[in-house]
Structures are given as structure tokens and as C-alpha cells.
Amino acid sequence: IKNVRKQIHFNEYYRIQQEIDEDVDIGKILTRIEKYQAAVDFNRRNYEKFLLNISEYRELKQISHCVLHTYAQSLFQLFLASLQNSDAGNDPPHHYLEEAE
């Protein structure tokens, strides 16, 4: 029974890791095609999913840098795009940079 539990745990961990990896790739694609707000929203959900699962599956720590980097990169790209599109009198939305930090 103990081996069965370990196998179930491993299978679930592997499924979650694959799902998070796929979501990282989707987030990168959204950023590359300049769908910045969609990328930020998608990457935020992926980051939240990661946080929910990290306590049960400590092995996920090995992909934490990918999840965080993708999320921060999409926030930064949205900030840069907002700088280019802002009027001279409007301040750019600095909250994107604060969230990325």
C-alpha cells in the first residue's frame, strides 16, 4: 500500500509539473505575440496554481524560477508597452513593476 501511495503521489506531481510547464510555454507565447494583458493574467493564474501545489509537492521548487521569471517578464513587457502607448501627460502604470519585483 505504501508503494501505491508513493506512485500516486509521483503521478500527481508529474501531472502538475507538466501542466505548469505547458502553462509557462503558453505564457511565453502570449508575451511574444504581444498579448501582454492576457499574458499577465495567464501567468498570474499559473503562479497562483504553483503556490497552491508547492506545499504538497516540494519537488516543484525546481521549476519555481521558470514560473516566476515568466510572470515577471510579462509584467515588465506590459509596462514597456504602456510606456510606448502613454500620452505625454499620463504617468505609466508603475504598479506593473512593483508587482514584478
Side-chain angles (χ1 to χ4, degrees), residues 13-27:
Y13 155 74
Y14 185 71
R15 183 193 63 77
I16 292 168
Q17 181 184 6
Q18 279 188 315
E19 189 177 308
I20 290 173
D21 285 343
E22 289 170 3
D23 288 351
V24 165
D25 291 340
I26 291 169

Side-chain angles (χ1 to χ4, degrees), residues 55-72:
S55 61
E56 188 171 346
Y57 302 98
R58 300 258 180 226
E59 303 92 346
L60 289 175
K61 280 189 174 184
Q62 64 188 358
I63 61 170
S64 64
H65 65 282
C66 293
V67 175
L68 290 172
H69 179 265
T70 303
Y71 182 30

